[in-house]
Structures are given as C-alpha cells and as structure tokens.
Amino acid sequence: MSKTNPGNFFEDFFVGQLIRHATPRTVTVGDVALYTALYGTRFAVQSSDALAWGLGYDQAPVDDLLVFHIVFGKTVPEISLNAVANLGYAGGRFLAPVYPGDTLSAVSEVIGKKENSNGKTGVVYVRSTGYKADGTEVLDYVRWVMVNKRDPQSPAPEALVPELPSVIDPMALGNAVPMLETEYWDNDLAGSPYRFADYAKGEKIDHVDGMTVEDAEHMMATRLYQNTAKVHFNQYTEGKGRFGKRLIYGGHVISLARSLSFNGLGSAFHIAGINGGRHVAPLFAGDTVFAWSEVLDTAEIEGRPDIGALRLRLVATKNRPCVDFPLKDDLGNYAENVILDFDYWAVLPK
C-alpha cells in the first residue's frame, strides 16, 4: 500500500464528512512581512503596532486575507489537490483577531456535491473553519470546488446543492474588531480622509493602479499558505491541460485586488465577512490586474458606535483598466477580461 497521499477525487467525498486538516501553522511577523512584500498592502491597522494599540488592539492584527489564505491552504490536500478550479465562496465570517504568535488549524465539513454533465468532474461544497490553538474560532466560510473524478465511468451520486446565504446579516459582523478608541484614529496615518459616513450606496470607485503578476511571486505566495494544488505548481501536468500552463491561485487575485482597493478605500481596514465570490476567468503570469469597487450597501452594527460596515463589490480585471467599471454585457455575461467578482463587508471607523 502506498504511503503517499494522492488527494481525494470526487467519488471520495460524501455529505456530512468531517475532515481535520494537517499541519497547524504558527503565524509569525515574517509571514506578515512577506505578505506585504508580495501584495504591497497598506492598510494602517495591520501595518502599525502603535496605531493598532492606540485604537484598542493588543498589537497590529494579521491581515484578514492572510488568515483566510492560511486556513484555506490547510484544506487543499484533502479538498482540492485534484481540483480543476476553485469556483466560489459564500457565508464567510471573520470571528476574532489573529496576531503573530497565534497558531491556526482547520476543519472542514462536506455540505454538498453534484456531478457535472461531462461525467468527468463534479462540484464539492465544503464549510471550513479556522481555529486558534485555544479553540477560538477565527474564520468560517463555504467554498465550492470542481474536482476530477477518479473513474469517469463511476455512477453519479444523488445531487445535493446547499442553500447558501446571499448576504451576511450586518448584526453578525464586527466580532474581530475590539471597541475602538476612534479619537485616536488619524486620517493622515490611515492614508484616507474618508470614513463610514463619506460613502454612499451606488458609489463606484476606480482604484486606478495596476499590478502585474509574476510566476515567482505567485508561487512563493501560494507556498506561503502551504497550498499544494497541482494546478498552481506543476507545469509538467498543467502543460498537458486545457490552458497549457499553470493557473494563478484565485486567492492571489483577491489579495491583489484588495491591496489595489486601498486607493479609494484606505479606511476600510477590516474584512468582516465574505458574502460571495466568483472567479470568473483564469489569470496567468504576465497579466496585469486592475480593480474597481461598488458600494452595494451601508449598515450600522448594533452596539458599535465606533464602526460601520460597507457592503462592497470588488471587481478585478486582467489587462484592462477599470475607468469604465467593466462587469457584465447587455446579455448578463461577464465582460471580457473580468476575472473576479467578490462581494464582502468591510468595516470603517465612524
């Protein structure tokens, strides 16, 4: 019997299956520095111990998406090692701050599966939860991933597609943010004069800048999260696939777009929830990512006079600036070069 792990194929998953993922990961200041080097993130609360401490944090918290990627990476060997593509997200909540020195681990539950019409692949739905070593939940989210079948001739299972929330109730937000001493919020140091009340539903923001993706940076980032998915690393196998080259990890796109969004949303320092997300098209090394955002809604958070929440749609494109806010055509299809449609709640000071 082989001692190596070939990863799970579509047939290996069953609804109700619980998977405890290997390799707990202690987050260090080195991880934070490397994350900054890879994406150029500039949100001040995550960048400055002094500013974060003055607001009420123990120290600068780890960037929310770095937490997401580390938890996500834990799940890959069992969930998506044999993936064709990660398709989307829903119902994500950031539940507690994570600091350097905290150790993260993950558990997943299979909540749905459905074979595709080609009979060669299927979609698996999982809810993954990240924990600190003391059992504190820091993150939970649902994702669905297209996975290869081991045997295309194996019979299709009964389809079960879970019902997922279209949006997280704002009352469930803000748990990862301590009560802020907002008198110590400094607009100059935060890099933006705009706070919660300065944004309105329907407002669109072109984030202006672009960032070109390099193979080395993408692979370093994905290894940082201990994400072992073949589609990102193995040119020998992917060269024979439908694209002829490796795919950029979808989370890499989210982090690039989020970092670009600082220009226009500099005070939106915390991702509180992920309502939904879709990787619309693949990204490859050499492509340049641009981004724009739309304010879908604004919300007060009960019991929180210090912060408010913006529901934001973050759209990323490749090789296409966003001055005209590209999204969909008249037929409802995504416009050419749109690669990400990401719906999330961000927290801002009042």
Side-chain angles (χ1 to χ4, degrees):
M1 182 179 294
S2 174
K3 291 184 172 63
T4 58
N5 173 26
N8 289 319
F9 290 87
F10 180 71
E11 300 96 316
D12 298 320
F13 295 99
F14 59 90
V15 175
Q17 181 180 7
L18 289 175
I19 303 171
R20 188 183 183 199
H21 301 291
T23 320
R25 174 74 178 276
T26 301
V27 187
T28 70
V29 293
D31 297 321
V32 173
L34 183 53
Y35 186 85
T36 302
L38 290 165
Y39 302 107
T41 181
R42 291 182 283 163
F43 293 97
V45 172
Q46 288 79 10
S47 299
S48 167
D49 281 340
L51 188 148
W53 183 81
L55 291 171
Y57 285 90
D58 294 342
Q59 63 185 106
V62 174
D63 190 282
D64 305 301
L65 287 178
L66 177 54
V67 174
F68 175 83
H69 295 322
I70 290 174
V71 172
F72 185 105
K74 302 295 100 199
T75 72
V76 168
E78 288 79 29
I79 303 299
S80 50
L81 191 64
N82 295 306
V84 178
N86 192 60
L87 299 178
Y89 315 92
R93 298 178 302 153
F94 291 84
L95 301 167
V98 174
Y99 300 106
D102 286 336
T103 297
L104 302 179
S105 60
V107 174
S108 294
E109 178 184 5
V110 179
I111 60 173
K113 61 182 295 189
K114 181 180 184 295
E115 184 172 299
N116 290 328
S117 58
N118 63 14
K120 299 178 181 179
T121 60
V123 178
V124 179
Y125 297 79
V126 297
R127 179 180 298 281
S128 298
T129 305
Y131 299 90
K132 293 186 185 183
D134 64 2
T136 301
E137 293 186 24
V138 299
L139 167 68
D140 71 4
Y141 65 95
V142 174
R143 69 163 168 141
W144 48 104
V145 57
M146 188 188 304
V147 182
N148 284 308
K149 292 181 67 176
R150 178 184 288 105
D151 177 8
Q153 302 305 314
S154 64
E158 181 180 357
L160 176 61
V161 177
E163 291 187 14
L164 300 172
S166 59
V167 62
I168 298 169
D169 188 329
M171 296 305 104
L173 304 174
N175 293 340
V177 180
M179 190 66 71
L180 298 184
E181 302 287 346
T182 52
E183 64 268 26
Y184 295 109
W185 183 274
D186 187 309
N187 289 343
D188 291 335
L189 296 181
S192 172
Y194 305 114
R195 301 196 187 190
F196 173 67
D198 296 311
Y199 293 90
K201 183 177 179 179
E203 182 177 357
K204 294 181 179 180
I205 304 165
D206 174 15
H207 300 303
V208 181
D209 308 306
M211 214 180 293
T212 301
V213 178
E214 305 292 349
D215 249 336
E217 293 172 354
H218 147 67
M219 295 185 71
M220 183 179 295
T222 312
R223 283 193 292 261
L224 175 66
Y225 319 132
Q226 297 172 316
N227 180 336
T228 57
K230 300 172 185 177
V231 294
H232 307 317
F233 290 110
N234 193 330
Q235 182 58 35
Y236 179 79
T237 59
E238 296 312 302
K240 303 170 186 176
R242 58 178 176 150
F243 297 116
K245 50 188 171 181
R246 291 162 291 181
L247 293 176
I248 302 299
Y249 164 48
H252 195 67
V253 179
I254 297 172
S255 281
L256 287 171
R258 166 69 173 164
S259 294
L260 291 169
S261 76
F262 179 87
N263 190 352
L265 287 165
S267 297
F269 68 94
H270 170 58
I271 296 179
I274 298 172
N275 298 308
R278 182 177 178 186
H279 296 292
V280 176
L283 181 73
F284 303 103
D287 290 334
T288 299
V289 175
F290 297 87
W292 67 273
S293 293
E294 179 182 3
V295 180
L296 298 178
D297 204 356
T298 66
E300 301 282 345
I301 301 175
E302 186 176 351
R304 297 304 300 264
D306 55 329
I307 55 175
L310 299 182
R311 183 183 175 191
L312 297 167
R313 183 177 212 167
L314 176 61
V315 178
T317 64
K318 62 180 179 182
N319 308 322
R320 178 176 178 173
C322 295
V323 64
D324 59 341
F325 307 112
L327 183 59
K328 294 185 178 182
D329 61 23
D330 293 339
L331 299 176
N333 301 312
Y334 281 100
E336 184 178 5
N337 290 18
V338 172
I339 57 175
L340 174 71
D341 187 0
F342 191 67
D343 179 342
Y344 71 105
W345 284 106
V347 163
L348 294 81
K350 289 184 175 178

